[in-house]
Amino acid sequence: MKKCAQLLEANLYELEKFPERLFLSLLQGKSFTHPPDGEKLIRDLLDNLFKWMNNEDEVHPIIKAAIAHYQFESIHPFTDGNGRTGRIMVVLYLVEQKLLDAPVLFLSGEILRNRESYYSLLQKTHETNDFFPYLMWFIGLIHTASLRSTTRALKVRVAMQEVKNKIREIDINMYSQDLVNVLFRSPIIFANHLVHFGVAGSTSTAHAYLKKLESSGLLIRSSRRYNRKTGYINNHLLNALSGEIDLSE
């Protein structure tokens, strides 16, 4: 966090300049508690935001992502889903800036754990135009989410190895790394997935594989039908993704 503070101080000129310029455009020099209204205004503000995000400057991408998230939530362009959209925008931006290899940073969970602080800091930033407390908090949020995501990824890797070993025990002829990869692409697997990725040569073979994995306890047949298709649940993956991560360990 000391490095984050140093990074913020190094960019204070940009941080001070950006809110003044954008908020004068957005708020006409006034603080606000309601998002802007009118399609043209909202489109103009979003265009302004995205141009700023894509500009090449010296603002660190994490700081830029935090400001962009705040500004997107302030514009509040949709009747529903603004929070989810604003969070995934941050993740995709960090991928684009090559700070993430894949969009696996789960910000929503961290924000839900700290919901009161999140909304309080958004409101205080609205009222004061002082971005520093919000930015320090948001950077800490990304740091914690990164730790949880890393731990979760390691749990998925362990689960993959366990499933790989089990499949080898069940039927060495059925085993392939491609099969394991398909089983861990999604918590719910369908026969056409195995065919699509070349694991099984036909739908009937794919069904035979899935039934064998079900009988061995590696998969659970879903009680629901998905477009008349039978889905199989990979609980090993589901548990690795959904289990609580204790960062104190």
Side-chain angles (χ1 to χ4, degrees):
M1 292 304 292
K2 288 182 179 179
K3 289 184 178 180
C4 291
Q6 292 169 356
L7 191 60
L8 281 171
E9 290 173 1
N11 287 282
L12 275 179
Y13 173 72
E14 291 294 332
L15 293 178
E16 291 168 355
K17 184 173 68 173
F18 172 77
E20 181 181 3
R21 174 173 55 80
L22 188 58
F23 274 82
L24 285 175
S25 169
L26 174 58
L27 309 174
Q28 298 178 339
K30 300 176 182 178
S31 62
F32 76 103
T33 56
H34 300 289
D37 192 19
E39 180 181 348
K40 184 180 185 306
L41 176 58
I42 290 174
R43 286 185 180 277
D44 288 345
L45 292 171
L46 287 175
D47 183 60
N48 183 31
L49 172 61
F50 296 146
K51 283 181 179 177
W52 178 78
M53 291 176 69
N54 290 318
N55 281 345
E56 293 185 5
D57 50 38
E58 296 182 357
V59 181
H60 192 279
I62 291 180
I63 296 175
K64 210 163 191 178
I67 294 175
H69 175 78
Y70 166 82
Q71 188 57 36
F72 183 85
E73 299 307 324
S74 299
I75 296 171
H76 215 73
F78 308 119
T79 55
D80 188 32
N82 292 284
R84 293 187 295 273
T85 305
R87 293 190 290 273
I88 194 62
M89 182 183 73
V90 168
V91 175
L92 294 177
Y93 180 73
L94 295 178
V95 171
E96 182 183 64
Q97 296 298 310
K98 303 188 185 309
L99 294 183
L100 289 174
D101 293 327
V104 294
L105 190 67
F106 187 46
L107 289 181
S108 293
E110 296 307 316
I111 287 178
L112 287 174
R113 289 184 184 91
N114 302 276
R115 182 179 298 180
E116 290 186 10
S117 297
Y118 173 67
Y119 287 116
S120 174
L121 283 164
L122 287 180
Q123 185 61 33
K124 285 180 180 178
T125 309
H126 284 327
E127 295 169 352
T128 66
N129 274 1
D130 180 7
F131 273 66
F132 196 87
Y134 161 76
L135 287 173
M136 289 301 295
W137 181 86
F138 200 89
I139 290 169
L141 186 86
I142 290 177
H143 173 71
T144 305
S146 299
L147 292 177
R148 290 190 197 278
S149 296
T150 300
T151 303
R152 205 174 295 284
L154 292 174
K155 287 179 177 288
V156 171
R157 180 179 293 182
V158 170
M160 285 186 75
Q161 187 61 50
E162 291 174 352
V163 169
K164 180 188 295 188
N165 294 339
K166 185 68 174 177
I167 294 174
R168 284 172 171 164
E169 294 175 6
I170 297 168
D171 188 343
I172 190 63
N173 294 319
M174 180 177 65
Y175 166 78
S176 71
Q177 184 60 50
D178 288 339
L179 172 59
V180 177
N181 292 342
V182 171
L183 295 179
F184 279 81
R185 285 183 63 86
S186 168
I188 300 181
I189 305 100
F190 300 93
N192 63 301
H193 291 166
L194 274 63
V195 176
H196 177 76
F197 290 102
V199 174
S202 66
T203 303
S204 59
T205 302
H207 278 297
Y209 282 2
L210 292 173
K211 287 178 181 178
K212 185 174 287 190
L213 293 171
E214 178 195 9
S215 64
S216 67
L218 283 180
L219 298 178
I220 299 173
R221 186 185 302 214
S222 174
S223 58
R224 292 181 55 189
R225 299 277 289 181
Y226 304 86
N227 294 325
R228 299 183 180 180
K229 295 178 181 178
T230 300
Y232 292 82
I233 300 170
N234 181 353
N235 255 353
H236 292 76
L237 175 57
L238 203 58
N239 291 336
L241 292 175
S242 61
E244 186 62 30
I245 302 296
D246 185 0
L247 295 180
S248 65
E249 293 179 354

